[in-house]
Amino acid sequence: DAKTTQPNSMESNEEEPVHLPCNHSTISGTDYIHWYRQLPSQGPEYVIHGLTSNVNNRMASLAIAEDRKSSTLILHRATLRDAAVYYCIRANSGNTPLVFGKGTRLSVIA
Amino acid sequence: DAGVIQSPRHEVTEMGQEVTLRCKPISGHNSLFWYRQTMMRGLELLIYFNNNVPIDDSGMPEDRFSAKMPNASFSTLKIQPSEPRDSAVYFCASSLWGGGSNEQFFGPGTRLTVL
């Protein structure tokens, strides 16, 4: 049980921002929120993670709701290379393994 | 850094044959994970090791599946005997266990086809 809910698919135009939502309404106080993505024919790769505060890195930004029941992965300018399946994952700080759900398949249109 | 290395990248075998998949984690990482990915079931955790010790193998589908980690730089996943329903992409991942970040680094996967 992935314990997160994501839309099955989303579409974006190239060079436009993309907001990928994730619902994790039963999240516990010690659960981190992780985002991974899987490009075609590749293994998943880490994108970003956070606990309470919004986070930024070179790949994306993570906006976490104040009640932590939802979060949004933000790609500031989508490129064709961002077309992938994006997974939102809860992971306990007790170092439990990641449990992947179905994710959101992002299509980027040129 | 070469990343997580898996071999072979592709394996085609016949039902009943033994299959061994191999993984070399990133040097210095102390946790290793085996996943299986199919269209029907998505990405499933099979087993994971911490400091070479199996921690949870509840995801291993049947006794036909076994995994070992004889040292920090090598792990195997064996299927004996293999069946067509074992056809999938098998991923190995490693991480540095500690705190909540536990970013996992995945290998390129082994695509297994059992005829």
Side-chain angles (χ1 to χ4, degrees), chain A residues 38-43, chain B residues 6-13 19-22 34-39 77 79 84 86-92 107-115:
Chain A
Q38 187 172 19
L39 302 172
S41 301
Q42 295 188 26
Chain B
Q6 292 187 246
S7 64
R9 294 292 309 277
H10 301 272
E11 177 80 31
V12 180
T13 189
V19 175
T20 299
L21 310 181
R22 298 172 176 79
W34 282 101
Y35 293 86
R36 176 173 70 174
Q37 187 171 36
T38 61
M39 288 293 292
L77 178 67
I79 309 172
D86 301 330
S87 297
V89 181
Y90 290 81
F91 290 104
C92 174
T110 295
R111 182 173 295 277
L112 174 64
T113 302
V114 183
L115 303 174

Side-chain angles (χ1 to χ4, degrees), chain B residues 62-96:
Chain B
E62 299 173 32
D63 290 345
R64 299 183 296 106
F65 285 69
S66 63
K68 294 182 180 180
M69 192 165 187
N71 57 62
S73 59
F74 184 64
S75 177
T76 59
L77 178 67
K78 184 178 295 185
I79 309 172
Q80 166 63 16
S82 59
E83 296 183 3
R85 59 192 167 123
D86 301 330
S87 297
V89 181
Y90 290 81
F91 290 104
C92 174
S94 70
S95 72
L96 184 60

Side-chain angles (χ1 to χ4, degrees), chain A residues 32 34 36 38 41-46 49 87 91-102 105, chain B residues 9 33 35 37 39-43 45 48 91 97-108 111:
Chain A
Y32 282 72
H34 298 249
Y36 280 70
Q38 187 172 19
S41 301
Q42 295 188 26
E45 65 175 350
Y46 169 83
H49 79 280
Y87 298 97
N92 190 280
S93 63
N95 300 319
T96 52
L98 303 176
V99 177
F100 289 80
K102 298 294 186 183
R105 182 173 297 278
Chain B
R9 294 292 309 277
F33 308 82
Y35 293 86
Q37 187 171 36
M39 288 293 292
M40 290 295 294
R41 301 178 66 88
L43 201 58
L45 176 70
Y48 73 98
F91 290 104
W97 198 255
S101 61
N102 55 316
E103 176 184 346
Q104 292 187 18
F105 295 81
F106 284 76
R111 182 173 295 277

Side-chain angles (χ1 to χ4, degrees), chain A residues 80-92:
Chain A
L80 297 178
R81 288 173 293 180
D82 291 323
V85 178
Y86 287 78
Y87 298 97
C88 169
I89 302 165
R90 291 166 46 178
N92 190 280

